[in-house]
Amino acid sequence: MTSPNSFLGGAQDRLLPASIPFRFFLTAAVFHVLAWITLFLAANQLAWYTGGPGRVLASLHLVTLGVFAMTAIGASYQLLPVVTRRPLLRDWPARLSFWLFLPGVLGLAWGMGAVSPLLMQGGAILVGAGLAVFGALTADNLRRAGSLPVVAAHGWGALAALVGFAGLGILLVWDMTGGFLANRATLALTHMVLASYGFMGLLVLGLGLVLIPMFALSRAAPKRLGWAQLALAGLALTAYFVGGISGAAPLRWLALLAGSMAIAVYFWTMRLVLAGRMRKRLGLSFLLIRASWGFLALSLGLGGLVLAGVGGPSLPALFGFTLIAGWLLTFLLGILQRILPFLASMHASGKSGLPPPLSSLTAEVPLRIHAVFHFAALVTCAGGILLDMTLLVQIGAALGVVGALAFLGFAVNVVLKLRLEQQTT
Amino acid sequence: MSFTRRTAELLHEDHQATIIVIEALDQLIAKARRKAPDVADPQVRKTLLSASTAIEDEISNHFAFEEEELFTRLEDMGDVGIGAHLRSEHAALLPLGQEVASGAREALQSGFSDSSWPPFRNAAAELIERMFSHIQKEEMALLPALEDLLDAETDMELSSAYAASHG
């Protein structure tokens, strides 16, 4: 799936061979299915879940590492060089990171589900190594970036959060056998916050400054708003991290306040971008993206209730589900369904002949099926958590599996059509 | 997007103008679907009138400028890929733009028939799809690259010449 005459200014420079980003995206689509299946198997443990090994933790990491990080890595490898106008120096480390990360996620998730410390430790080492390669490549690209400093700064913030959550994650895995952490529950929550709001959140906020205006054909957001959201998010994450390490509760309230303000700035920025858009009909993907923003706001509200210690025993699980499945999963699937055919169209048009239209590389029906089942899964699972009803969670997870299979069908279809285009041109 | 180079800004303004026409055309097709629209409708006439002139004018000038002044400079710097890809998209867009413009002119004179509406609708739909994708690529990858490609003096020369060619 390489393209000898590809796109994006110094194409060999800035557009990676298609096989690199697409292997991450396709694998993410497979992990998406596995995550819902594992959640189905863990349905009876979800409502009261507050941490610890088992199938819920396995499902959580299948989605956070398998779907989110996998997508983020693939997207960063391809999009950062375009945004920063600085190519990756080498392709092979990107491939290496995949081959470290993939078995790592599988081993870690399997170890968590089977409560096998050895598998978890092996998986954690491989995941850490894959993330380290990704971090080094991305840091090198950001270091050379001369343009869009506000996006690059979000990238640096995401890398700092990556170091924090990966380090804590490895500590938590080893603590399962060593038992040396006195405040394990707090550190586990800090690990989750750094991974979701920190690493993924900063990538979403930073790349969103480029991707949302591009897809909506809008003017870029005012830079000062980008810097403001970054400063507030940085303050929030730092306060939460220090609060988590030191046990100082007021710092976590400061984090919630600053985080809420960062998200308010982000929403304002996105409102400006979409209000000034030239493309009026944004399609199904933006339905998911807009819905995900609602879940983001809801996650902060639920996070505040968890912090205050009010609400029922299922509130922590509902918070986690809203944050992970509601916000990040919905957002990434909305973005992925735009990026996959868009990237494919670039790679399909490198040889002689006219480039194919995007519609010939995509499939609307699986995306519609996915959207319906995804939202049905979110509502049903959330209801199951709130009512502590295993059957509802199982139904929700089963709906999620169907939606995820439809999305996988869409992703496979894009790749097959890309191959077909490349063979016929 | 926002750009510091005036050339990039002018091309961006072209994109905006083209999208207004394309959006109107998109809405016309979405509203009419299989049934041919009534060209006596003022909104339909306005859309067809702009499609009959603006698209062809915009893309022919715009494409020619990019191919002669920008892609060649990119290629001189070793950036062959971007020019090749965007040229191939231009090659797909130009005949489509001409076909839609010609169809719009004919419709303005004699209306749409059951036989003339489907080919017009299909050509317009493909033009709309390709144009949005093409503009997204240029906005993301070409116009920002002009910041590095053009120095201030060249930027002024090119932008002045381009503005003059637009009348």
Side-chain angles (χ1 to χ4, degrees), chain B:
Chain B
M1 304 297 280
S2 67
F3 309 101
T4 56
R5 295 289 181 230
R6 189 162 170 252
T7 305
E9 195 61 35
L10 288 174
L11 294 174
H12 174 72
E13 286 169 11
D14 276 1
H15 290 161
Q16 287 179 303
T18 304
I19 287 170
I20 289 170
V21 180
I22 292 291
E23 271 288 346
L25 205 51
D26 195 25
Q27 283 171 23
L28 173 70
I29 291 173
K31 197 174 166 187
R33 299 193 181 191
R34 291 177 184 278
K35 191 181 169 196
D38 179 6
V39 295
D41 182 321
Q43 189 58 44
V44 172
R45 286 197 76 78
K46 187 181 169 192
T47 302
L48 291 174
L49 193 61
S50 58
S52 69
T53 54
I55 293 177
E56 211 172 3
D57 289 349
E58 282 297 338
I59 63 179
S60 56
N61 276 336
H62 183 99
F63 289 177
F65 175 74
E66 286 177 343
E67 291 184 11
E68 288 163 19
E69 299 292 353
L70 302 182
F71 299 167
T72 47
R73 282 178 165 78
L74 283 170
E75 285 154 7
D76 288 345
M77 290 178 65
D79 270 359
V80 178
I82 190 168
H85 180 83
L86 294 177
R87 271 182 218 274
S88 71
E89 291 205 330
H90 288 175
L93 282 164
L94 257 178
L96 273 174
Q98 287 160 349
E99 186 182 342
V100 169
S102 153
R105 277 193 292 272
E106 285 172 23
L108 282 169
Q109 285 182 344
S110 47
F112 284 115
S113 66
D114 287 346
S115 60
S116 68
W117 170 242
F120 176 84
R121 184 190 62 205
N122 293 341
E126 187 177 346
L127 175 72
I128 291 161
E129 185 188 339
R130 284 185 181 276
M131 188 63 85
F132 278 128
S133 170
H134 179 70
I135 290 176
Q136 280 173 344
K137 287 172 188 170
E138 289 201 345
E139 290 277 320
M140 186 179 187
L142 174 65
L143 303 193
L146 299 185
E147 310 284 313
D148 295 336
L149 183 70
L150 306 177
D151 58 32
E153 191 180 343
T154 312
D155 178 45
M156 185 53 70
E157 279 174 24
L158 285 180
S159 59
S160 300
Y162 187 57
S165 75
H166 261 37

Side-chain angles (χ1 to χ4, degrees), chain A residues 44-294:
Chain A
N44 63 336
Q45 305 156 23
L46 181 61
W48 291 61
Y49 184 75
T50 54
R55 287 174 179 166
V56 176
L57 193 66
S59 176
L60 179 64
H61 284 79
L62 283 170
V63 74
T64 52
L65 292 174
V67 182
F68 300 167
M70 195 70 79
T71 302
I73 294 171
S76 297
Y77 282 155
Q78 182 54 87
L79 292 176
L80 277 179
V82 175
V83 171
T84 61
R85 302 204 290 276
R86 295 292 178 272
L88 291 182
L89 285 179
R90 300 274 187 281
D91 287 351
W92 67 263
R95 291 191 179 90
L96 173 66
S97 68
F98 176 80
W99 290 114
L100 290 168
F101 195 63
L102 171 64
V105 176
L106 284 170
L108 185 65
W110 192 278
M112 286 169 167
V115 197
S116 161
L118 195 64
L119 264 178
M120 271 189 273
Q121 289 170 357
I125 289 170
L126 287 172
V127 165
L131 289 175
V133 175
F134 161 72
L137 270 180
T138 304
D140 175 66
N141 185 269
L142 293 174
R143 183 181 58 78
R144 291 180 288 119
S147 61
L148 290 178
V150 66
V151 178
H154 279 79
W156 283 116
L159 286 185
L162 184 150
V163 171
F165 91 74
L168 281 176
I170 287 170
L171 270 181
L172 288 163
V173 165
W174 257 263
D175 182 61
M176 282 183 186
T177 49
F180 49 83
L181 293 176
N183 50 350
R184 180 181 171 83
T186 306
L187 290 180
L189 195 58
T190 306
H191 163 74
M192 189 185 93
V193 167
L194 282 181
S196 54
Y197 289 115
F199 174 61
M200 288 305 302
L202 287 173
L203 285 179
V204 165
L205 265 59
L207 287 175
L209 294 173
V210 175
L211 288 178
I212 302 295
M214 186 190 80
F215 288 133
L217 286 168
S218 173
R219 286 223 163 231
K223 285 177 187 165
R224 67 179 189 286
L225 291 180
W227 286 113
Q229 76 178 18
L230 177 63
L232 288 164
L235 172 63
L237 291 164
T238 306
Y240 200 92
F241 181 71
V242 175
I245 297 290
S246 66
L251 280 177
R252 283 193 257 165
W253 282 106
L254 172 65
L256 181 67
L257 179 67
S260 300
M261 290 168 69
I263 297 310
V265 174
Y266 171 61
F267 286 164
W268 181 254
T269 307
M270 293 297 105
R271 198 193 74 84
L272 285 178
V273 165
L274 292 182
R277 72 185 190 272
M278 294 186 279
R279 182 74 166 118
K280 297 304 175 198
R281 289 196 298 159
L282 294 175
L284 187 59
S285 62
F286 269 80
L287 179 69
L288 270 76
I289 289 167
R290 283 179 155 134
S292 80
W293 291 337

